[in-house]
Amino acid sequence: MTDNLPHVRFAPSPTGELHLGGARTALFNWLFARHHGGQFHVRIEDTDKLRSKPEFTDQILESLTWLGLDWDGPLLHQSHRSGQYKQALQALLKTGHAYRCFCSKDKLELDRKQAAKGHEFMYSGTCRDLSDAQIKIRLNQGQTFTLRLRIPEGETVYDDRIYGKVKVNNREIDDFIIARSDGSPVYNLVVVIDDHTMGISHVIRGDDHISNTPKQILIYQALGYDPPIFAHLPMILGPDKKRLSKRHNAPGIQEFRNAGYPPAALVNYLAMLGWNPDTEQEIFTPEELVAAFRLSQVQKKGAVYDEKKLNWVSSKHLLAMTDDDILAGIRSIDPDWQTERPDGYNRLVIEQMKPRVRSLQGLMEDSTFFYQVPEEYDAKTSRKRWPDSEVNNLVRNYYDHLLVQVEWTAENIEWLLRETATEAIVPASKLIHPVRLALTGSGAGPSLFTLMEILGQEACLQRLKLALEKLP
RNA sequence: GGCCCGUUCGUCUAGGGGUUAGGACGUCGGCCUCUCACGCCGGUAACAGGGGUUCAAAUCCCCUACGGGCUACCA
């Protein structure tokens, strides 16, 4: 490119939803581009007609958008470039870098099976040096053929920005197929042409592509293109150290969204998987990540996905978010959440609950007592905090005091409670806990007096009355 | 099988010749306290193994083991 700024791309195939590994690859590309003021492109690799589904494209894009990974320029589709591939194939055939191979699929498969017993399988090169006459005969017979790349002698070397120098003897690479017998180009050719015509300067992708890279470099050379810079990211692993997949019931990005992880938290966590900022900072905003990101700080080894740490990162982000932002986040998952309540009330609830949860979903679930009368009382807490009818007397006294309380503030509520306890010559906690149980149905929750102030006099009285009837 | 890549606490990682091998999550204990969280303090826990090189190796070299990836007319 003429601007000298990096151009990178994320190239998912729409054969499934975006998962963690893909998201991380996209993220690192995006961080790299944004850090250097370059361009981040998204290209949909939809050449596999059978497995590609437009719904998946939509879903992937939605996930990227949700994560905040905005891309530059139009969305590209690989399938729209077929003319160009044909042209390149023709050129390679003409220059002798590619040749026709008439071996049938069945024969190749047989060879492969034979070889499986012994050692490696490589294409034997049967058709490598067919004469023009021989080719003509076969063509006249109507034999179908694939196109193979003629691999030159020597070795292919490249400098991986993460792995360092990677060197492969070309003997290890066989004359692989670049066009199928129906004339369609194969992935390795297609990426090369796409990346070249898009002006991609840095190819940043999963390290499962490391062995493909020399093949692709050979194609670049055959075509007379300059290869881009390569950087291979380590895989994200499951607890068994195998590449993370559905078998680990690894959630797709949409599930993280639905579970109520703030996108910035997921981005933060993913960035820390296999990368480190060279400082001891752990919690980053996306902007801070952009500023700090260096490819050179990327790890070579795979990293195990750890939900516990994600939860921690998420709780940190939640704590740092404003109540309004959290409310907006919740509404983006569930537009109807507590809409019948004033948002002022909801914000108070959020303020109280946000240090106690790890996700928006958790916040919604754990704050139901702010909105409805508890349906039951936690058995263990009941036994411990409300063991007998003496508690009823105590709570009834408090209830009576509250009945006449005109100014409903946390201070007044607390003062009254302590008064009630003092009158009965018991510690305040003897009253605090049963009251909380009556109001929330559980033994845990925000500070009782703040809770009561937020709930309001009417709700508190109603719930106390109910508990007095039902407990112990 | 072949080729490539990797290996520091359970997990994410710092450390690249001389360190009490550091931090974070988790876990355990304590403090705070009306509970639960938050917060704070503290504990637990790692250089895969073996050979070299060196006065000195987690750090450099070699081998082994283990793990992963690739080895398609998939992408």
Side-chain angles (χ1 to χ4, degrees):
Chain A
M1 281 325 255
T2 47
D3 54 15
N4 261 338
L5 291 170
H7 282 59
V8 299
R9 97 283 121 121
F10 175 57
S13 47
T15 53
E17 61 176 328
L18 188 67
H19 48 92
L20 278 182
R24 211 233 351 208
T25 303
L27 173 63
F28 280 28
N29 272 283
W30 181 84
L31 287 172
F32 181 76
R34 294 289 171 262
H35 179 84
H36 294 285
Q39 302 267 304
F40 172 65
H41 302 285
V42 173
R43 181 177 76 218
I44 303 296
E45 311 239 305
D46 52 358
T47 38
D48 186 343
K49 291 271 185 292
L50 286 176
R51 294 191 297 153
S52 294
K53 293 215 175 78
E55 304 91 270
F56 288 132
T57 300
D58 295 343
Q59 208 175 32
I60 290 168
L61 264 23
E62 226 177 283
S63 294
L64 288 175
T65 305
W66 176 72
L67 286 167
L69 308 184
D70 55 323
W71 57 93
D72 302 301
L75 182 72
L76 298 165
H77 288 270
Q78 199 164 56
S79 56
H80 298 172
R81 224 193 293 269
S82 42
Q84 209 179 337
Y85 306 136
K86 293 248 150 62
Q87 222 175 318
L89 252 10
Q90 283 309 314
L92 288 174
L93 197 54
K94 197 166 293 174
T95 56
H97 285 108
Y99 61 89
R100 296 182 181 85
C101 171
F102 296 91
C103 299
S104 74
K105 210 171 185 170
D106 294 343
K107 187 212 176 249
L108 293 172
E109 218 147 283
L110 206 76
D111 286 357
R112 191 171 303 118
K113 261 185 203 133
Q114 293 281 331
K117 294 179 207 154
H119 24 269
E120 81 203 279
F121 166 77
M122 285 179 82
Y123 173 63
S124 54
T126 326
C127 303
R128 190 179 176 136
D129 297 308
L130 256 30
S131 69
D132 286 352
Q134 287 171 309
I135 293 171
K136 200 157 279 173
I137 291 169
R138 279 159 222 245
L139 287 176
N140 285 339
Q141 287 174 339
Q143 283 192 37
T144 59
F145 59 87
T146 60
L147 255 30
R148 288 183 183 272
L149 192 74
R150 192 187 304 275
I151 304 297
E153 305 257 300
E155 55 183 22
T156 303
V157 186
Y158 75 98
D159 192 29
D160 194 290
R161 287 291 286 273
I162 291 166
Y163 283 90
K165 187 172 270 188
V166 178
K167 189 159 62 170
V168 175
N169 194 311
N170 290 358
R171 268 192 302 252
E172 307 295 340
I173 306 171
D174 67 355
D175 289 354
F176 59 94
I177 290 172
I178 54 177
R180 304 182 184 92
S181 43
D182 65 0
S184 64
V186 143
Y187 170 77
N188 276 322
L189 182 92
V190 164
V191 254
V192 167
I193 291 173
D194 285 348
D195 286 338
H196 178 259
T197 64
M198 284 168 69
I200 298 302
S201 60
H202 299 251
V203 170
I204 304 171
R205 72 229 301 193
D207 72 7
D208 48 339
H209 282 287
I210 267 189
S211 336
N212 274 329
T213 306
K215 294 183 180 180
Q216 289 166 14
I217 289 174
L218 257 7
I219 296 178
Y220 276 99
Q221 289 168 350
L223 250 14
Y225 301 160
D226 283 334
I229 292 167
F230 293 94
H232 288 96
L233 271 16
M235 305 269 89
I236 296 182
L237 277 21
D240 58 357
K241 308 268 188 188
K242 289 199 201 313
R243 182 215 243 144
L244 193 66
S245 70
K246 312 93 228 155
R247 350 188 71 240
H248 299 96
N249 56 38
I253 298 303
Q254 292 302 320
E255 290 171 67
F256 287 98
R257 191 237 274 259
N258 294 335
Y261 288 102
L266 223 211
V267 160
N268 187 165
Y269 174 70
L270 247 23
M272 301 306 276
L273 256 196
W275 171 82
N276 79 80
D278 212 18
T279 66
E280 286 188 349
Q281 186 176 350
E282 302 255 2
I283 301 300
F284 288 81
T285 63
E287 296 71 35
E288 289 173 321
L289 285 174
V290 167
F293 187 77
R294 301 274 129 83
L295 222 36
S296 59
Q297 294 290 328
V298 175
Q299 209 78 243
K300 290 186 186 68
K301 68 165 176 176
V304 176
Y305 164 67
D306 178 15
E307 192 181 20
K308 294 221 175 77
K309 187 132 188 185
L310 202 216
N311 283 330
W312 175 76
V313 171
S314 178
S315 73
K316 289 298 204 181
H317 277 260
L318 250 13
L319 221 40
M321 283 166 76
T322 66
D323 301 332
D324 266 323
D325 286 345
I326 292 179
L327 183 58
I330 290 176
R331 291 272 164 76
S332 75
I333 305 172
D334 179 2
D336 299 325
W337 187 74
Q338 305 303 348
T339 43
E340 66 283 2
R341 294 291 190 134
D343 280 350
Y345 183 85
N346 293 328
R347 276 194 294 268
L348 290 175
V349 172
I350 289 168
E351 186 191 5
Q352 288 306 308
M353 295 308 291
K354 73 179 170 185
R356 285 160 231 275
V357 296
R358 299 170 310 198
S359 70
L360 300 175
Q361 198 57 251
L363 196 151
M364 289 188 268
E365 283 163 15
D366 292 354
S367 55
T368 49
F369 59 80
F370 276 106
Y371 299 99
Q372 39 183 279
V373 177
E375 281 161 11
E376 53 189 25
Y377 302 100
D378 179 69
K380 204 175 149 195
T381 311
S382 306
R383 247 178 285 126
K384 186 171 175 195
R385 306 293 196 187
W386 201 314
D388 51 44
S389 55
E390 269 177 50
V391 179
N392 292 252
N393 295 331
L394 201 53
V395 172
R396 195 168 295 113
N397 286 345
Y398 187 42
Y399 177 88
D400 292 339
H401 285 302
L402 288 174
L403 211 46
V404 298
Q405 179 62 43
V406 277
E407 208 193 339
W408 193 259
T409 64
E411 293 75 36
N412 288 345
I413 295 163
E414 176 166 9
W415 184 82
L416 268 181
L417 183 136
R418 294 197 187 276
E419 274 298 300
T420 312
T422 309
E423 282 166 21
I425 325 180
V426 295
S429 61
K430 286 281 182 209
L431 186 48
I432 288 173
H433 294 296
V435 171
R436 174 179 289 106
L437 179 66
L439 299 179
T440 68
S442 100
S447 165
L448 180 66
F449 310 112
T450 333
L451 168 71
M452 290 177 74
E453 182 182 313
I454 294 172
L455 274 176
Q457 189 167 21
E458 198 186 326
C460 287
L461 291 172
Q462 181 206 358
R463 293 182 190 191
L464 285 173
K465 197 171 168 194
L466 189 69
L468 282 167
E469 289 162 11
K470 289 186 161 181
L471 291 167

